Amino acid sequence: QVQLVESGGRLVQAGRFLRLSCVPSRNIFGINTVGWYRQAPGKERELVATITPIGSTNVADSVRGRFSIFRDYAKNTLYLQMNNLKPEDTGVYYCNARDGGGDYWGQGTQVTVST
């Protein structure tokens, strides 16, 4: 098992930037694929970006070129750098870790992008 804690979400104007953080309860980055998902009201949860233990990334078309995912092993922290934010980026952002035993999710952090 692993616990995931997200932080960094807030209200921000379109065109600005945010960096979200996720801290797992133990070091998993060399073992498990981790990533970020988001969910807007009335919509299904969708993939934002993932990164594998060897550093391969998968980024959603909707955020490619604006968002990036990376890890800091020393700080045991997963980040989502969000640049040039748009109103359609609004939603609850969840940290995720996946292994053979299933998926683990954080509680989420709210990102609201205003016009």
Side-chain angles (χ1 to χ4, degrees), residues 20-24 29 70-79:
L20 306 183
S21 300
C22 171
V23 180
F29 299 148
F70 60 98
R71 305 159 294 178
D72 186 324
Y73 283 89
K75 294 184 177 180
N76 189 39
T77 302
L78 174 71
Y79 297 99

Side-chain angles (χ1 to χ4, degrees), residues 16-17 22 27 31 46 48 67 77 81 86-87 95 111:
R16 302 298 292 174
F17 61 90
C22 171
N27 194 337
I31 302 170
E46 65 177 358
V48 177
F67 292 10
T77 302
Q81 181 67 43
K86 303 177 182 297
C95 186
V111 173

Side-chain angles (χ1 to χ4, degrees), residues 7-111:
S7 63
R10 66 177 181 89
L11 172 66
V12 64
Q13 287 186 299
R16 302 298 292 174
F17 61 90
L18 283 175
R19 181 178 290 179
L20 306 183
S21 300
C22 171
V23 180
S25 58
R26 57 185 175 87
N27 194 337
I28 61 171
F29 299 148
I31 302 170
N32 305 106
T33 294
V34 294
W36 293 92
Y37 292 72
R38 68 186 182 186
Q39 187 168 23
K43 293 189 175 183
E44 299 291 328
R45 188 174 298 184
E46 65 177 358
L47 180 146
V48 177
T50 61
I51 186 165
T52 71
I54 63 169
S56 298
T57 60
N58 182 32
V59 181
D61 290 344
S62 59
V63 303
R64 190 173 295 118
R66 299 187 297 118
F67 292 10
S68 61
I69 184 170
F70 60 98
R71 305 159 294 178
D72 186 324
Y73 283 89
K75 294 184 177 180
N76 189 39
T77 302
L78 174 71
Y79 297 99
L80 181 69
Q81 181 67 43
M82 310 165 67
N83 296 326
N84 191 25
L85 284 159
K86 303 177 182 297
E88 52 263 41
D89 295 320
T90 293
V92 179
Y93 283 69
Y94 298 91
C95 186
N96 168 265
R98 182 167 296 167
D99 64 21
D103 283 287
Y104 300 91
W105 298 93
Q107 293 299 307
T109 185
Q110 177 72 43
V111 173

